[in-house]
Amino acid sequence: MKKVLLLCVILIGASGCAGATVNGSEQIAAEANKKAVNLYIKELEEREIDLINPLKQEVLMTIRKSDFADSEETLREWVKELARGPNGFDQRMKAAKVRDDGTFVPGVPQVVLKEEELVEKIKQASYFTRQLEIPIEVTYINVTEEDVAGLDEVEIGRYATKFTSSISGRVDNIDLSAKSIYGVVLGPGDIFSFNRIVGERTKARGYKEANVIVDGDFVNGLGGGICQTSTTLYNVARLLRKSSQQSFFVDINPIIRVNIV
């Protein structure tokens, strides 16, 4: 009965003013469609999405697209913090090491969060998206304890620099930084980062005040002298040629005699 009554109302309207009724119907449909679209967008923005950490295969956090509704720049800054922040994914490779007693210390792989890819994944997430895997690129250390155990020691490069041993602070800093590098072992394709290996130069770690160069002038600064360690290492690295060895040691003693064997 209700269907027949509705049909009659429409027919009466059509017989009176067909053009006005059609236009009115289109407007009502357009408004209804607009409301539906706005509702969909709102529900989409409020829909929770789990970000999956592929390194641990677990949910890292839950986000909503509305968290970044202000602008795309807000999203990009958030992704940048996720990658490079204090607790971010990005980390430099730290080479493996062999201590004086022969103990092998495994290195740390390089991890890079693909920021642009994650931004696009979040932007393109649909209503049905429940999970997004964070795009991570991992470069693993290419040397193992077994490689080191069977490694022949062959010197393939040597370089030396001199310094004044009477400048105590500088000598101490050179000694500390050189000992940090002593015993580092690299495999094919491994990345050596001086700052990653030597670490932060702080008083707590034993570094002292000594001359450093700032804007072309000598000033007193914490860790002065370690640039000689890095420069000596750089120069011996320049002397290296292709070697058939799968791995090699970077061995620097406290007086900056560089041996790579």
Side-chain angles (χ1 to χ4, degrees):
M1 184 62 181
K2 290 182 179 179
K3 291 183 179 179
V4 175
L5 178 61
L6 180 59
L7 180 59
C8 290
V9 172
I10 294 174
L11 289 175
I12 291 170
S15 64
C17 184
T21 303
V22 171
N23 291 337
S25 298
E26 289 179 350
Q27 183 177 357
I28 292 172
E31 290 178 355
N33 184 57
K34 183 178 180 181
K35 288 180 180 179
V37 170
N38 289 337
L39 180 61
Y40 170 78
I41 293 174
K42 183 176 180 181
E43 290 183 352
L44 174 60
E45 291 180 344
E46 293 300 326
R47 202 77 170 180
E48 291 186 341
I49 302 173
D50 291 333
L51 290 185
I52 306 300
N53 180 350
L55 301 178
K56 298 182 178 180
Q57 287 301 312
E58 63 183 22
V59 177
L60 175 68
M61 64 179 68
T62 300
I63 64 171
R64 296 181 179 88
K65 293 189 77 169
S66 60
D67 297 337
F68 316 105
D70 294 344
S71 67
E72 185 175 319
E73 188 61 30
T74 301
L75 172 59
R76 292 185 179 279
E77 285 300 319
W78 179 81
V79 169
K80 181 179 178 180
E81 182 68 16
L82 185 64
R84 313 181 207 177
N87 299 312
F89 277 92
D90 289 5
Q91 68 178 18
R92 291 182 178 180
M93 179 180 288
K94 186 173 183 179
K97 201 171 187 180
V98 177
R99 297 193 177 117
D100 288 339
D101 61 2
T103 304
F104 180 77
V105 182
V108 177
Q110 175 175 280
V111 179
V112 177
L113 189 157
K114 297 180 179 178
E115 298 179 32
E116 188 61 33
E117 186 174 331
L118 180 56
V119 167
E120 290 303 315
K121 276 190 171 187
I122 295 174
K123 285 171 57 180
Q124 296 174 16
S126 73
Y127 179 82
F128 302 101
T129 303
R130 295 291 180 271
Q131 291 184 338
L132 286 178
E133 183 172 277
I134 300 171
I136 299 292
E137 183 177 5
V138 182
T139 305
Y140 291 97
I141 298 294
N142 208 9
V143 63
T144 66
E145 187 171 2
E146 290 72 22
D147 294 330
V148 174
L151 188 68
D152 293 329
E153 295 187 358
V154 179
E155 182 175 302
I156 57 174
R158 180 184 292 264
Y159 196 87
T161 60
K162 298 180 180 180
F163 61 91
T164 304
S165 59
S166 59
I167 307 176
S168 59
R170 181 181 177 85
V171 172
D172 293 332
N173 295 334
I174 291 174
D175 179 54
L176 278 174
S177 57
K179 285 179 178 177
S180 296
I181 298 171
Y182 182 92
V184 166
V185 59
L186 301 172
D190 285 352
I191 300 170
F192 178 89
S193 168
F194 182 82
N195 285 332
R196 185 88 164 98
I197 295 293
V198 174
E200 191 175 0
R201 275 71 83 182
T202 64
K203 289 183 178 180
R205 298 187 66 236
Y207 283 94
K208 299 180 179 180
E209 297 276 346
N211 276 346
V212 296
I213 300 175
V214 177
D215 295 330
D217 296 322
F218 283 101
V219 297
N220 218 32
L222 195 62
I226 67 166
C227 57
Q228 183 159 358
T229 309
S230 61
T231 300
T232 307
L233 179 63
Y234 171 76
N235 278 287
V236 75
R238 292 181 60 191
L239 301 177
L240 297 180
R241 296 293 182 265
K242 291 183 179 180
S243 171
S244 60
Q245 298 295 326
Q246 292 299 306
S247 309
F248 56 88
F249 287 102
V250 178
D251 181 2
I252 305 181
N253 70 15
I255 60 171
I256 318 301
R257 185 189 69 220
V258 180
N259 292 322
I260 299 184
V261 298

